[in-house]
C-alpha cells in the first residue's frame, strides 16, 4: 500500500467520481421514454439491458412464498434476528410531534407525518442483497409509510434471488417488480399502467440508477446519490495489523473505485498493514477488484499525533470509519464527519452492514460533512402548526402589517388587518 498525504485524499473527492458525460444523455432518454410510454418502454429496456422478456413485471405471491420455503432455515433465522435488531434501532429514531400553548391561548407546534408511498431499489442481476431490502424497508415501515414498492433487476432466469424475496416475505412486503436500471427509477417516479408512482425513492444502484435518481429528484424525493464505497481505519500501535488489513479489504472488494485508507500514528503498524494486505489479497476471491481499489485509492497515512489523525479523518469524511485505538471513546467526541463510526476491535464494518442495527445506507464521497445515514426521518415530513388567539392577534396585528408593507406586499398586510372587521361588527 502507498504512503498517502492529506492532499492525496483531497484529490480523490473528484478523481474517484466516474465520468458520466456519455451516460447522462442515455439516462435522460430512458427516463423521458418511460414517462411517455410507460410499461411498453420498461419492457423494451428490460429486454435490451437484462436480456429478459417479461409478460408481467410484478412478482407473484407464489414466487415470494416459494422463495421463502426454499431458503435454508438457518438463513431465515439469521435474517429474522437481523431484522429485529434493525427495527429496534430505528424505532428509537421515531420523532414526536409537539405543541406549545402560551398563556394567551395561542398554540404553535410541529406535526410529523409519514410519506404515503415509498419506492425501494435493490441491486440485483448477478448478485443478491437481502441486507439492502432490510435497510431500506424497515425504516420506512417504522415511519408508518402505508405503501412500499420494491424494484430489483431480474436474473438470467428472469427470477429474483430467493434471499431477496424471502427477506421481503419476512418484512411483509409483497409489491415487488422485476425491473432495474434507469427504467425502474423512472417507473417509480412517474408511474406506468401497472406500477403506481411513489413519493420517494431510496436504495443504491449502478451509475444508470444514480443518474436517474438525480434526474427525477424534484418530482419525487430521493435518499442520496451514492458513490463508491469507502473505509478509513483510525488506529494506533495497539491495533492488530491483520484485522486492519482485513477490514480495509472488506470495502476494497466492492469496486475498483472503492477507497480503503489506514490512518495511524504508528509507522510500524503501517508497515505491518501493508504486508498483511498483500498476503490477504492472494486468497481473496474478488482479488482483482480489491487489488485495483487498493492500488488506485488505498494506502496509509502516517501522522505524528492522534489529533492530526482525527483532523485527517474529518477532512476525508469517510462513509465508514473504524476506530481501533487503545481507548476509542477518547476520539469519538472529536470525530465530526463520518457516515458510521465503529468503535473497538470487535466492531468491524460488516457488523454494521448486516446485523447490529444501524442503517448501512450511508453518505459517500465526503458528503458525510453535511448528510446522515438513511433513517426513519427520511420517510417522514414535518408540518408547522399555527393557531393564533385573538389576544395574540390584537397584540401583533400592526407589527405584522407593517412588516408586510416593508416588503411592499399590501395584500399580506390587508389579509391580517381584515380581521379587524370582526371587532367592528
Amino acid at each position: 500500500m502507498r504512503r498517502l498525504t492529506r492532499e492525496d485524499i483531497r484529490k480523490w473527492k473528484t478523481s474517484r467520481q466516474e465520468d458520466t458525460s456519455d451516460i447522462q444523455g442515455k439516462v435522460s432518454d430512458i427516463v423521458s421514454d418511460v414517462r411517455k410510454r410507460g410499461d411498453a418502454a420498461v419492457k423494451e429496456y428490460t429486454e435490451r439491458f437484462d436480456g429478459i422478456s417479461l409478460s408481467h413485471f410484478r412478482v407473484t405471491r407464489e414466487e415470494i412464498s416459494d422463495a421463502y420455503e426454499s431458503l435454508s432455515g438457518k438463513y431465515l433465522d439469521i435474517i429474522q434476528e437481523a431484522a429485529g435488531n434493525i427495527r429496534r434501532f430505528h424505532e428509537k429514531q421515531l420523532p414526536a410531534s409537539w405543541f406549545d400553548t402560551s398563556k394567551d391561548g395561542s398554540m404553535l407546534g410541529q406535526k410529523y407525518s409519514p410519506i404515503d408511498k415509498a419506492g425501494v431499489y435493490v441491486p440485483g442481476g448477478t448478485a443478491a442483497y437481502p441486507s439492502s431490502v432490510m435497510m431500506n424497508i424497515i425504516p420506512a415501515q417504522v415511519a408508518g409509510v402505508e405503501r412500499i414498492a420494491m424494484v430489483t433487476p431480474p436474473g438470467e432466469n428472469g427470477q429474483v434471488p430467493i434471499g431477496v424475496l424471502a427477506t421481503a416475505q419476512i418484512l411483509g412486503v409483497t409489491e415487488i417488480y422485476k425491473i432495474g436500471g434507469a427504467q425502474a427509477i423512472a417507473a417509480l417516479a412517474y408511474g406506468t399502467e401497472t406500477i403506481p408512482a411513489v413519493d420517494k425513492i431510496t436504495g443504491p444502484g449502478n451509475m444508470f440508477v444514480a443518474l436517474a435518481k438525480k434526474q427525477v429528484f424534484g418530482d419525487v424525493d430521493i435518499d442520496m446519490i451514492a458513490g463508491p464505497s469507502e473505509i478509513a481505519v483510525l488506529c494506533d500501535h495497539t491495533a492488530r495489523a491483520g484485522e486492519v488489513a482485513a477490514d480495509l479489504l472488506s470495502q476494497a472488494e466492492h469496486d475498483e473505485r472503492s477507497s480503503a485508507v489506514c490512518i495511524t500514528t504508528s509507522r510500524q503498524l503501517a508497515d505491518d498493514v501493508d504486508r498483511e494486505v498483500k498476503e490477504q489479497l492472494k486468497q481473496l476471491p474478488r482479488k482483482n477488484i480489491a487489488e485495483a481499489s487498493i492500488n488506485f485509492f488505498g494506502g496509509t497515512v502516517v501522522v505524528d499525533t492522534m489529533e492530526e489523525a482525527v483532523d485527517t479523518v474529518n477532512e476525508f469524511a469517510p462513509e465508514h470509519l473504524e476506530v481501533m485505538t487503545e481507548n476509542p471513546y477518547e476520539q469519538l467526541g472529536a470525530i465530526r464527519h463520518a457516515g458510521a463510526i465503529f468503535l473497538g476491535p470487535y466492531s468491524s464494518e460488516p457488523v454494521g452492514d448486516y446485523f447490529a442495527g444501524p442503517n448501512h445506507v450511508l453518505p459517500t464521497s465526503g458528503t458525510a460533512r453535511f448528510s446522515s445515514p438513511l433513517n426513519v426521518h427520511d420517510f417522514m415530513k414535518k408540518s408547522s402548526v399555527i393557531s393564533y388567539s385573538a389576544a395574540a392577534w390584537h397584540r401583533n396585528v400592526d407589527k405584522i402589517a407593517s412588516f408586510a408593507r416593508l416588503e411592499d406586499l399590501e395584500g399580506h398586510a390587508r389579509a391580517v388587518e381584515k380581521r379587524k372587521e370582526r371587532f367592528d361588527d
Side-chain angles (χ1 to χ4, degrees), residues 321-368:
L321 171 65
E322 293 185 2
V323 183
M324 298 170 66
T325 59
E326 190 169 13
N327 187 352
Y329 287 94
E330 288 183 355
Q331 283 76 52
L332 181 59
I335 295 167
R336 302 190 310 279
H337 308 310
I341 304 169
F342 302 78
L343 300 177
Y346 302 106
S347 306
S348 59
E349 191 277 340
V351 172
D353 260 357
Y354 301 116
F355 207 74
N359 209 289
H360 77 197
V361 180
L362 302 167
T364 61
S365 305
T367 59

Side-chain angles (χ1 to χ4, degrees), residues 225-282:
I225 304 297
S229 184
E230 57 205 21
I231 185 172
V233 181
L234 173 64
C235 48
D236 59 16
H237 67 284
T238 64
R240 297 192 178 190
E243 295 173 355
V244 174
D247 292 356
L248 293 173
L249 291 174
S250 74
Q251 297 309 293
E253 72 173 353
H254 269 299
D255 188 284
E256 292 182 357
R257 291 180 177 270
S258 294
S259 173
V261 178
C262 170
I263 302 170
T264 182
T265 53
S266 170
R267 295 184 182 277
Q268 182 61 57
L269 179 70
D271 292 338
D272 293 343
V273 168
D274 290 347
R275 285 191 292 271
E276 278 287 339
V277 166
K278 292 176 183 176
E279 285 301 311
Q280 292 184 30
L281 267 172
K282 296 176 182 178

